[in-house]
Amino acid sequence: MWARQAQRVLSNTPHCNRDPSLTRARRAVCGMQPQDFPRTCTQRLRSRCNVAAPGAPAPAEGTRALPAQHHTHSVWQRNVVCMGRRSAKIALRKGKSDLARCKVYAKIGKQIAQAARAGGTDPAENSRLRDLMNVARAANVPKDIVDRNLKRAADAKAADFTEIVYECYGHGKSGFVIEALTDNVNRSATNVKIAINKFGGKVADSGSVAYNFRRCGVIMVDASHDNGSITTEDEVLEGAMDAGADDIQDIRDEDGTIIGFKVVTPVELFMKVWKGLEAGGVPVREGSLQYLPLSPAQVSDEDFHANEKLLEGILADDDVDAVYTTCAGLEHH
């Protein structure tokens, strides 16, 4: 498109450096900023677009020049594909990470409001609230989120939060379990069903998908910390297994280096294992009760991408706190 625009403007403009409409064409063809675009580059732009300057003689008969579209495409591909692909991946990864963090903050905040409403706002007298405050501290939940939800719990006019679990079928015979903590059940149910149908899923009856999952506690531990200390697998094993953990899995990066550990616990021993790790000097990054698939389902690439869009579409609803799936390779959020 910009090659055609360049051809059109260059044919009618003797001094291209003065024409702002060529800004993007110059960037596409030469990979330069307008202020760095000298007159020699204008000549190069004419050459690559196969356009002669006004008043210049036409190319000699028999002279063969490559089409403008070919030249522009190769330069555009080199600039955008080679340079933009990496930044696009980084931006996508960061966006997903930010969304996951916001969901964690929102879920913990609502749980704090729920616990404070049920047992009081004093952590010394409310063990459930005290445990949640420890979870919030480990997850670095901002103080204003904690304070706002404590005030909400003390407000008698504010609606209480209700925990709801939805289930649906995904693509490639995969299943999804959706957790929501909402102050409006009807709104939540409507929005979740709309998202499921929009992205090709099918709403399932209660229990028809959940039997493929196991409810358990999951605690995440980093292998290295900001203060320079290192946590070894033996330290995690000693603190977790003695407290009753079921399993410990190492987490590796793309190079195969261990960057952390995932500790799986029974629901009733979740906080006991958490405190056992901290008592053994193992800092906990975050933890929560989750649904882990018993048997991950292998799906085609097409179904995998469709399930990924389904998961992201469901997570877009503010009431949804977490989505779990049996689709192999697709992590829960």
Side-chain angles (χ1 to χ4, degrees):
M1 180 178 72
W2 296 116
R4 291 197 297 271
Q5 180 184 356
Q7 286 178 320
R8 185 173 62 254
V9 180
L10 282 170
S11 299
N12 302 316
T13 309
H15 300 293
C16 298
N17 282 324
R18 300 175 186 175
D19 194 333
S21 62
L22 281 179
T23 299
R24 290 194 221 175
R26 289 167 177 166
R27 291 178 183 172
V29 177
C30 302
M32 299 179 67
Q33 297 297 325
Q35 62 270 23
D36 301 326
F37 196 86
R39 186 172 297 277
T40 56
C41 289
T42 302
Q43 297 170 356
R44 191 172 75 180
L45 177 61
R46 292 185 186 281
S47 174
R48 290 192 177 183
C49 292
N50 198 23
V51 177
E61 186 176 355
T63 303
R64 185 174 182 274
L66 288 174
Q69 197 172 21
H70 170 83
H71 292 291
T72 307
H73 174 71
S74 63
V75 177
W76 176 266
Q77 189 177 45
R78 183 165 62 248
N79 286 345
V80 175
V81 175
C82 296
M83 297 176 62
R85 181 177 294 166
R86 182 173 179 272
S87 60
K89 287 183 177 180
I90 293 174
L92 180 62
R93 193 182 306 118
K94 184 177 184 301
K96 290 183 177 180
S97 176
D98 290 344
L99 175 61
R101 188 181 302 109
C102 289
K103 286 292 182 181
V104 169
Y105 291 171
K107 180 179 181 179
I108 294 175
K110 289 186 286 187
Q111 288 176 334
I112 286 175
Q114 188 183 40
R117 176 70 66 90
T121 59
D122 186 2
E125 299 179 357
N126 187 338
S127 60
R128 169 62 176 161
L129 179 61
R130 184 169 59 251
D131 291 341
L132 284 170
M133 296 294 276
N134 291 334
V135 172
R137 191 178 302 108
N140 294 318
V141 177
K143 188 175 183 298
D144 64 313
I145 294 179
V146 175
D147 293 340
R148 184 169 63 248
N149 282 279
L150 288 174
K151 291 179 180 178
R152 178 189 175 95
D155 185 2
K157 296 181 180 180
D160 197 5
F161 288 106
T162 303
E163 295 182 18
I164 305 176
V165 176
Y166 303 100
E167 302 173 37
C168 78
Y169 299 107
H171 303 268
K173 297 183 179 180
S174 59
F176 287 76
V177 170
I178 305 152
E179 280 187 325
L181 196 57
T182 178
D183 57 357
N184 189 321
V185 176
N186 292 332
R187 178 194 65 212
S188 175
T190 300
N191 291 343
V192 170
K193 289 178 181 178
I194 289 174
I196 291 172
N197 294 328
K198 179 179 179 180
F199 292 96
K202 182 180 178 182
V203 178
D205 296 331
S206 178
S208 57
V209 174
Y211 76 91
N212 292 309
F213 295 82
R214 172 196 171 197
R215 183 70 164 169
C216 56
V218 175
I219 300 173
M220 307 301 293
V221 177
D222 289 330
S224 59
H225 310 283
D226 294 337
N227 59 6
S229 62
I230 302 295
T231 297
T232 65
E233 186 173 6
D234 290 339
E235 292 174 334
V236 178
L237 280 169
E238 183 178 353
M241 290 304 183
D242 290 346
D246 288 337
D247 188 22
I248 296 176
Q249 305 167 9
D250 54 70
I251 303 172
R252 299 175 182 267
D253 60 12
E254 297 177 354
D255 299 328
T257 304
I258 296 178
I259 59 175
F261 304 95
K262 178 180 179 180
V263 181
V264 181
T265 78
V267 173
E268 62 276 10
L269 297 179
F270 172 65
M271 287 309 303
K272 181 181 178 181
V273 175
W274 182 306
K275 294 175 182 177
L277 287 169
E278 291 185 332
V282 177
V284 174
R285 173 163 57 88
E286 63 181 16
S288 63
L289 299 180
Q290 301 179 10
Y291 287 91
L292 298 185
L294 296 174
S295 180
Q298 301 294 332
V299 301
S300 65
D301 290 343
E302 182 180 355
D303 287 335
F304 180 87
H305 292 304
N307 283 330
E308 192 173 27
K309 291 182 178 180
L310 174 60
L311 184 146
E312 292 173 355
I314 297 172
L315 276 174
D317 182 46
D318 291 338
D319 288 332
V320 174
D321 295 312
V323 180
Y324 310 93
T325 178
T326 60
C327 180
L330 187 59
E331 296 182 0
H332 88 277
H333 290 77

